[in-house]
Amino acid sequence: MRALAMLRRPFHDRARAAVMPPGSVTIRSGTADFIDAVTRGSSDVAVVDPMLAERDRGIPGSLSRAHLGTVLYILLTPEYAQASIDLIRELGIGEIVTYGYNDDPTTFADILRRQSRATRAHLLTTALSQRLKMVPSALYSCIDHVSEDGHRIDSVERLARVCGVTRWALSRQFRNAGIASPSGFVAALTLLRNYDLLTDRSLTLLDVARAVGLSSERALRRQCIAVSGLAVAAIREPLPIERFVECIVDTLTTRYEP
């Protein structure tokens, strides 16, 4: 996990202790540097002092545009409480860690994991939940757990193995639930996990293709259309991730009614 932090100095050591390996947390002291790092999209989760974010509106704006999961690190004071409420309302997501209360390394690390961008893939599972609930409950629970925890699933074979079923059985259950195929689902998870790279126009399409495990720009273009019905240029405008998920769901389900 790569964490990006903008915190007061007393918070630094506790934040570092929550991230493994410790060197994977980057702390920025200046607003411009923090916003630049968010925009470059190299981090999985942001750890922010809401009092600092309140002073510069560019901070919540950059977090919203990057769809970067955010953890607020606060002191237990009325001022921090109000700043946290305001920031979470603006971002729509986020969790709170309180200094000296729930910031032991294990608890802190668990909260960071839940907010990590790796769990963006869970947006798709949530959107498909009514369909997925038509598969056996044990299989649904496994798929939900895999996406929520941000496990790297890059093939149907790996998904089937993790879920303890054969590839043939997995395909049959997806068809019965009205979902086109496990392969389309897995490809969508991969694109969502790398959404910040996909929408980073400073990267070439070949760079993005290689990052998501494809061999060429042409393969990336084909996969985007196959998974979402959208040309890669439309996704890179950028398209809001929620709208991207809607397009994926439409593509995976409209022609595959059980």
Side-chain angles (χ1 to χ4, degrees):
M1 180 190 298
R2 294 162 298 179
L4 175 66
M6 186 166 181
L7 301 167
R8 299 171 190 268
R9 189 167 296 279
F11 294 166
H12 289 186
D13 290 344
R14 299 285 280 195
R16 286 193 178 100
V19 180
M20 294 300 292
S24 58
V25 60
T26 301
I27 296 177
R28 301 293 189 187
S29 57
T31 299
D33 288 343
F34 179 81
I35 292 175
D36 178 65
V38 170
T39 303
R40 283 188 279 110
S42 61
S43 301
D44 294 314
V45 64
V47 188
V48 178
D49 182 326
M51 296 287 281
L52 298 180
E54 194 174 49
R55 296 176 185 174
D56 193 313
R57 305 311 302 158
I59 293 175
S62 66
L63 293 170
S64 294
R65 288 191 296 274
H67 298 278
L68 187 60
T70 303
V71 173
L72 308 183
Y73 200 3
I74 73 169
L75 294 173
L76 198 57
T77 67
E79 294 78 14
Y80 265 100
Q82 187 59 57
S84 300
I85 291 169
D86 292 343
L87 189 55
I88 287 178
R89 281 176 177 168
E90 184 167 355
L91 296 177
I93 56 173
E95 290 192 59
I96 294 174
V97 173
T98 305
Y99 186 80
Y101 176 63
N102 66 334
D103 62 342
D104 62 276
T106 300
T107 304
F108 204 160
D110 186 55
I111 292 171
L112 289 172
R113 179 191 57 77
R114 289 201 300 268
Q115 289 297 315
S116 170
R117 79 177 183 92
T119 62
R120 289 175 183 174
H122 197 240
L123 292 171
L124 179 59
T125 309
T126 300
L128 285 169
S129 62
Q130 293 305 309
R131 301 272 184 162
L132 289 172
K133 286 177 181 177
M134 299 171 69
V135 307
S137 58
L139 178 57
Y140 170 68
S141 295
C142 184
I143 292 172
D144 188 59
H145 175 74
V146 162
S147 63
E148 184 175 18
D149 282 5
H151 292 287
R152 186 181 182 89
I153 300 295
D154 50 17
S155 70
V156 177
E157 289 80 4
R158 177 162 174 74
L159 179 60
R161 186 166 61 251
V162 168
C163 292
V165 298
T166 65
R167 176 170 179 163
W168 177 85
L170 187 65
S171 296
R172 179 169 57 83
Q173 293 295 346
F174 268 60
R175 286 196 304 271
N176 290 343
I179 301 173
S181 68
S183 60
F185 179 77
V186 168
L189 292 180
T190 301
L191 291 178
L192 286 168
R193 189 174 62 245
N194 293 283
Y195 195 70
D196 57 336
L197 302 179
L198 185 59
T199 57
D200 186 347
R201 298 179 70 87
S202 69
L203 298 175
T204 68
L205 288 181
L206 182 57
D207 289 336
V208 178
R210 288 172 174 167
V212 301
L214 299 172
S215 60
S216 67
E217 176 182 326
R218 182 179 179 184
L220 177 65
R221 292 182 185 277
R222 283 202 307 264
Q223 186 165 105
C224 287
I225 291 175
V227 167
S228 68
L230 297 170
V232 68
I235 300 169
R236 283 164 68 86
E237 286 186 355
L239 187 74
I241 194 169
E242 296 82 5
R243 177 58 184 151
F244 187 45
V245 170
E246 290 174 2
C247 292
I248 291 170
V249 170
D250 286 345
T251 301
L252 291 180
T253 63
T254 52
R255 287 172 289 180
Y256 293 86
E257 295 295 335

